[in-house]
Amino acid sequence: MTAVQQAPAGAADVAPERDGGRTGIPLRRLTQVELRKLADTRAGLWLLIVIGLAAAATAAIMIFAAPDAEQTFQGFLSFGLVPASVLLPVLGILSMTSEWSQRTALTTFTLEPRRGRVVAAKLIAAVLIAVATTAAAAALSAAGNLIAIGTGGDGDWHIEAALVGQLLVNQLVFVLMGSAFGALLMNSPLAIVLYFAIPTVWSVLGEMVRWLRTAAGWIDINLTSVPLSEPGMTGEQWARFGVAALVWVALPLALGTVRVLRREVS
């Protein structure tokens, strides 16, 4: 079976264009295809559905179970983004491993031999889906806050711009962390398991082993990301989070990109 026969849905959308004598696919079109692929598979589609349902469930929990004083736009948004921060990285993993797990690498890298552009498109798609999810959560939080006002909740609309930025950064870093694990491991089940297992084990060891606590305060991304959901994040907290992001996002992403660029396609 030829590579053209194996092409997945949407392959025609990435047909090369000739511009000034050079053949290439615009990065914008590659990104559009990667965004479409996020919902093309059954796993990706259900992940998006579950994220939406979970966000709606958090709003319902806030309305029916949270104290009236906590029923504010800030409270709805902070709590509503929790499911996305857990599940969006899995979507990033599936995006990065799709060529290898679905055996479409030959098709993808024949249409676009410059693998770095494919990786860049996947990362841009991951960033865009994180931004869209945050915006959707904000809209849902606004609706929840309106309902809370009608049922006796606080209903305060105030939220600091810095906190909104922190919540967005949290989503971006974790979805990119998932993408990094996917690029490095190139195997969906393994990447998903290790994405959740390794940071969790490190967090447990940081709590249990006394001489690891200082290092954990700088490298444990589960610990250093907590202040992102709270207003007034300090410079030291940003520094700790930055170090953890370098270890858990930048390093595996760099190694994973190198591996994608060099791996033989069969």
Side-chain angles (χ1 to χ4, degrees):
M1 184 176 290
T2 64
V4 174
Q5 291 172 317
Q6 294 176 344
D13 296 331
V14 293
E17 293 181 347
R18 187 169 294 278
D19 182 15
R22 295 189 304 173
T23 299
I25 301 172
L27 185 60
R28 174 184 55 81
R29 182 175 298 179
L30 286 173
T31 303
Q32 290 173 343
V33 171
E34 293 301 330
L35 282 170
R36 185 179 303 174
K37 286 163 61 178
L38 290 176
D40 272 351
T41 63
R42 190 173 301 173
L45 178 61
W46 274 106
L47 265 175
L48 291 172
I49 292 174
V50 169
I51 289 172
L53 293 176
T58 60
I61 292 172
M62 288 287 293
I63 293 171
F64 292 107
D68 291 344
E70 296 180 9
Q71 295 181 24
T72 63
F73 179 69
Q74 177 177 313
F76 277 105
L77 183 58
S78 297
F79 190 37
L81 285 172
V82 171
S85 66
V86 175
L87 296 176
L88 274 184
V90 178
L91 205 60
I93 290 172
L94 295 178
S95 174
M96 278 294 183
T97 58
S98 61
E99 273 69 34
W100 315 104
S101 61
Q102 299 175 26
R103 301 182 182 277
T104 59
L106 181 60
T107 300
T108 299
F109 297 134
T110 297
L111 291 171
E112 178 50 90
R114 294 168 295 182
R115 300 186 188 184
R117 290 170 60 83
V118 176
V119 173
K122 291 178 181 293
L123 294 176
I124 295 172
V127 167
L128 291 177
I129 200 68
V131 172
T133 301
T134 303
L140 187 59
S141 298
N145 201 39
L146 287 173
I147 296 174
I149 292 174
T151 57
D154 186 296
D156 182 35
W157 290 98
H158 175 72
I159 184 171
E160 295 181 6
L163 179 58
V164 176
Q166 291 170 200
L167 294 172
L168 179 58
V169 168
N170 187 67
Q171 300 297 315
L172 294 175
V173 167
F174 278 101
V175 75
L176 290 176
M177 180 176 165
S179 300
F181 271 65
L184 181 62
L185 299 171
M186 296 185 182
N187 180 287
S188 300
L190 179 62
I192 292 171
V193 169
L194 293 184
Y195 168 82
F196 288 106
I198 296 178
T200 301
V201 170
W202 175 251
S203 297
V204 172
L205 290 176
E207 287 293 326
M208 295 179 60
V209 183
R210 181 177 300 177
W211 58 272
L212 284 178
R213 289 178 184 172
T214 300
W218 288 86
I219 301 177
D220 187 348
I221 196 163
N222 291 325
L223 179 63
T224 59
S225 63
V226 170
L228 287 172
S229 60
E230 303 168 354
M233 193 167 174
T234 65
E236 181 181 353
Q237 289 171 330
W238 275 112
R240 290 175 181 270
F241 178 71
V243 171
L246 286 174
V247 173
W248 294 101
V249 182
L251 180 59
L253 183 57
L255 295 176
T257 301
V258 170
R259 192 177 181 203
V260 170
L261 295 178
R262 295 184 177 181
R263 179 169 176 174
E264 181 179 351
V265 177
S266 57

